[in-house]
Amino acid sequence: MSVAGELTTTAATDRINVDLGERSYDIIVGDGLLVTAGRRLRPLLTQPRVVIVTDETVARLHLDPLHAALAAAEICHATVVLPAGEGTKDFTHLAGLCERVLESEIERGTMLVALGGGVIGDITGFAAGILLRGLDFIQIPTTLLAQVDSSVGGKTGINSRHGKNLVGLFHQPRLVLADIGTLSTLDPRHVRAGYAEVVKYGLLGDPAFFGWLEENAGKVLALDAAALRQAVAVSCRAKAAVVRADERESGARALLNLGHTFGHALEAEMGFCDALLHGEAVAVGMALAFDFSARLGLAPAGDAAAVRRHLARAGLPTDLSLLAGRTTSADALIAHMRSDKKVKDGRLTFILVRGIGAAFVCREVDESDLRSFLADALARGQAGRPA
Ligand code: NAD
Ligand code: GLY
């Protein structure tokens, strides 16, 4: 993976440009950025009005400083507060959000501001994409997962009863303000889940970053400002490079789905519930992707073991013991994989590896190899044994 996004480091911030021609934008990473939001936003506005969209938890913790920053920059603002949680990413809340935004007498020049985690970013971006046939929006992500993944790249949308993220569009934000200071209120489990997505960038294309994480995981997870900023900035730079090369996922962007085919099957089997956060499913999925690659003779077994060790030390799940006590079969997991939107021409898509930092897209997986691998992984999970 080539690192093509521009990264400019100053004393206080990292600025990464997502180079997409007329849809280009900056990601700014730093501590305490929320209070600077007004002056950073001002040059992007054609009229000094924004509508903030957030959730109840984030509103309680982080809305006041944003209101103050906008007021200081003489930007009028309305605010829509949605319930917290994945359940908000549905048609009912989307309709309610659109009506509430329209009530505030928006014009084409009104900007939406998504303040929150991936749920708020995804639904707000989608609403921005369809209101008045397209409003601008910016992302102020407040979870680690949103700062390193969902706020960047323009995938927006909601869930349907047929599955996750099945209704949406590509709509790039005009700016991403990743204030690592907002993560201080995040509960440790969500920090760990977001960390899985950080590790993903090392595993898919940047072995030196994985090496750095081996040294610095403790600091990142403890929210040490310097380490956290470095982890977020490197992750965003990696994502910016992939998105620049393949904005609409016709090729290389699929690499960002490392761990997701296995992870999606696990989430689906668990019923997309809080017992398994998305980042936790990705951690298990990445460990399985490395194990499967090793079993197919594609990657060294030592790399698979190193990945599992790293994720486990970070407090993340790495095997199928979560399914212990259930009657899950390999065929049931494969059926979930088939219902994923990553299926192409009826073929399952896997991101496999040749080692740490060397992921590739594979659509040639032999289903009997997959079935026996999953059956063994399930048996080990039932027995509570690691790989
Ligand atoms: P989330 O938005 O539900 O946030 C998790 C929880 O943390 C929520 O309860 C929220 O209220 C709370 N929270 C947010 N910021 C906080 C803070 N600073 N302090 C305390 N609590 C805070 O979930 P998430 O993990 O951020 O994102 C998951 C969503 O992102 C999923 O819907 C997933 O599909 C989506 N996603 C999208 C993309 C993309 O490219 N668009 C990529 C990955 C994931
Ligand atoms: N999170 C995967 C992507 O943005 O493509």
Side-chain angles (χ1 to χ4, degrees), residues 74-89:
E74 298 181 348
I75 299 170
C76 303
H77 51 269
T79 304
V80 181
V81 181
L82 298 172
E86 187 69 26
T88 293
K89 261 177 63 173

Side-chain angles (χ1 to χ4, degrees), residues 40 53 88 92 114 163-164 171 226 238 240 272 333-334 366 370 385:
R40 292 183 190 277
V53 184
T88 293
T92 306
K164 270 195 65 156
H171 187 45
F272 291 102
L333 293 176
I334 293 172
D366 183 302
L370 176 64
R385 278 187 286 118

Side-chain angles (χ1 to χ4, degrees), residues 12-281:
T13 59
D14 298 297
R15 182 183 292 268
I16 299 126
N17 184 253
V18 185
D19 180 3
L20 292 171
E22 60 182 15
R23 292 184 309 289
S24 296
Y25 54 95
D26 282 342
I27 305 162
I28 303 176
V29 182
D31 194 355
L33 293 178
L34 203 50
V35 297
T36 70
R39 71 172 166 77
R40 292 183 190 277
L41 199 51
R42 200 72 165 81
L44 302 175
L45 300 176
T46 53
Q47 56 164 203
R49 294 192 63 222
V50 302
V51 180
I52 302 164
V53 184
T54 188
D55 74 30
E56 284 158 359
T57 305
V58 178
R60 190 163 38 77
L61 296 165
H62 299 293
L63 189 53
D64 286 349
L66 179 60
H67 278 167
L70 295 174
E74 298 181 348
I75 299 170
C76 303
H77 51 269
T79 304
V80 181
V81 181
L82 298 172
E86 187 69 26
T88 293
K89 261 177 63 173
D90 68 1
F91 279 108
T92 306
H93 289 92
L94 176 72
L97 170 60
C98 289
E99 296 295 354
R100 294 277 305 281
V101 173
L102 290 167
E103 270 163 31
S104 60
E105 296 176 8
I106 55 167
E107 297 174 10
R108 289 296 286 276
T110 306
M111 174 93 78
L112 299 195
V113 176
L115 174 72
V119 165
I120 289 299
D122 280 9
I123 192 171
T124 305
F126 187 27
I130 57 178
L131 280 164
L132 305 190
R133 297 203 179 88
L135 297 176
D136 284 345
F137 80 114
I138 73 155
Q139 293 264 20
I140 307 185
T142 62
T143 62
L144 183 56
L145 181 140
Q147 294 193 353
V148 300
D149 190 358
S150 63
S151 65
V152 176
K155 282 189 182 174
T156 74
I158 56 168
N159 307 323
S160 119
R161 65 188 166 81
H162 295 285
K164 270 195 65 156
N165 298 326
L166 293 184
V167 181
L169 40 76
F170 285 96
H171 187 45
Q172 299 292 345
R174 295 289 312 283
L175 176 72
V176 178
L177 273 188
D179 181 350
I180 59 167
T182 61
L183 303 182
S184 64
T185 54
L186 196 59
D187 70 82
R189 187 176 169 212
H190 276 101
V191 174
R192 290 194 295 273
Y195 180 76
E197 300 281 3
V198 174
V199 176
K200 181 183 79 177
Y201 295 108
L203 298 183
L204 72 86
D206 191 344
F209 183 46
F210 182 73
W212 183 86
L213 290 171
E214 287 268 73
E215 299 289 314
N216 292 284
K219 287 185 184 168
V220 175
L221 290 162
L223 305 180
D224 169 88
L228 187 57
R229 185 175 135 195
Q230 171 89 351
V232 173
V234 172
S235 300
C236 287
R237 182 174 46 176
K239 181 148 186 185
V242 173
V243 169
R244 175 178 183 258
D246 178 23
E247 184 181 3
R248 297 208 159 218
E249 200 168 310
S250 47
R253 187 164 177 168
L255 293 175
L256 296 174
N257 295 328
L258 175 62
H260 284 60
T261 300
F262 289 110
H264 171 90
L266 191 50
E267 278 179 291
E269 184 65 15
M270 299 284 288
F272 291 102
C273 64
D274 275 353
L276 182 69
L277 300 178
H278 176 70
E280 294 169 338

